[in-house]
């Protein structure tokens, strides 16, 4: 029976300021606004239903929701929410989603755009060192958005060793 799963449609990110986050994604990754599901001060959202649907902490209010299109790959849905007991972004060692990776063709340009948009890089690009990922030019580095989400910049222009062992392939834009 064929799978009903095609791939990742979008990722959702809660941000403290949707305008700042949108500007970051536009400047850092050439993202474009597709549409606004909820705009600030709109009344087109049922907060009680959203609290139940998303299992939000009681009293949390969604101020805005916006869908962005990346040049390639899944969309990015930004949520600006405010409420009691709102936590800080997860660290890589915390349970749950820890980062998202953006495939880049030019690390220098990508890092320049990322930092100019307000992001902070943790490292310079370094070779992918896991045995099944090694290859000429295969590299990665990590950084952080202005609101604290972790982003990996990655590129693998060379075939990876795992490709000799299976017909399955990582998705590549």
């Amino acid at each position: 029976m064929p799978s009903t799963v095609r791939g990742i449609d979008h990722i959702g990110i809660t941000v403290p300021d949707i305008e700042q986050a949108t500007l970051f994604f536009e400047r850092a990754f050439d993202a474009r606004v597709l549409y606004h599901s909820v705009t600030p001060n709109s009344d087109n959202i049922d907060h009680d239903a959203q609290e139940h649907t998303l299992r939000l902490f009681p009293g949390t209010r969604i101020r805005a929701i916006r869908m962005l299109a990346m040049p390639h790959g899944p969309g990015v849905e930004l949520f600006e929410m405010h409420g009691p007991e709102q936590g800080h972004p997860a660290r890589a060692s915390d349970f749950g989603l820890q980062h998202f990776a953006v495939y880049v063709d030019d690390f220098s340009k990508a890092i320049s755009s990322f930092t100019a948009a307000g992001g902070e890089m943790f490292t310079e690009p370094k070779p992918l060192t896991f045995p099944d990922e090694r290859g000429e030019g295969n590299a990665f580095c990590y950084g952080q958005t202005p609101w604290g989400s972790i982003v990996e910049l990655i590129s693998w222009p060379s075939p990876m060793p795992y490709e000799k062992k299976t017909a399955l392939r990582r998705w590549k834009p």
Side-chain angles (χ1 to χ4, degrees):
M1 179 174 187
S3 175
T4 61
V5 176
R6 287 180 158 194
I8 294 175
D9 176 75
H10 70 275
I11 59 172
I13 303 171
T14 300
V15 299
D17 181 317
I18 202 159
E19 298 304 332
Q20 176 200 42
T22 300
L23 190 58
F24 175 81
F25 274 92
E26 288 173 339
R27 290 180 176 171
F29 303 125
D30 295 325
R32 299 291 175 254
V33 174
L34 282 175
Y35 55 86
H36 307 262
S37 300
V38 176
T39 58
N41 304 316
S42 70
D43 59 1
N44 67 334
I45 188 163
D46 181 339
H47 290 285
D48 293 332
Q50 290 300 317
E51 190 174 297
H52 174 75
T53 300
L54 295 172
R55 302 295 191 259
L56 302 177
F57 190 85
T60 299
R61 293 292 177 254
I62 297 174
R63 182 174 179 269
I65 303 173
R66 186 174 293 164
M67 183 65 79
L68 308 179
M70 298 287 279
H72 304 281
V76 175
E77 187 174 26
L78 300 177
F79 290 78
E80 182 178 333
M81 297 187 207
H82 301 283
E85 297 195 27
Q86 201 161 19
H88 296 283
R91 296 168 298 206
S93 57
D94 292 336
F95 295 119
L97 298 175
Q98 57 161 278
H99 76 277
F100 63 93
V102 176
Y103 192 97
V104 302
D105 293 315
D106 181 330
F107 277 105
S108 294
K109 184 176 178 183
I111 290 169
S112 178
S113 295
F114 189 85
T115 56
E120 174 192 353
M121 295 306 303
F122 296 159
T123 64
E124 292 293 321
K126 52 187 174 183
L128 290 170
T129 57
F130 291 129
D132 283 331
E133 297 178 336
R134 292 180 184 146
E136 183 66 34
N138 296 356
F140 74 103
C141 57
Y142 282 95
Q144 188 173 39
T145 66
W147 59 91
S149 294
I150 297 174
V151 179
E152 178 182 5
L153 303 180
I154 189 167
S155 186
W156 68 89
S158 295
M160 292 183 174
Y162 84 89
E163 295 175 11
K164 295 176 184 172
K165 303 174 195 173
T166 180
L168 297 173
R169 296 293 181 262
R170 288 177 67 157
W171 182 79
K172 185 176 187 178

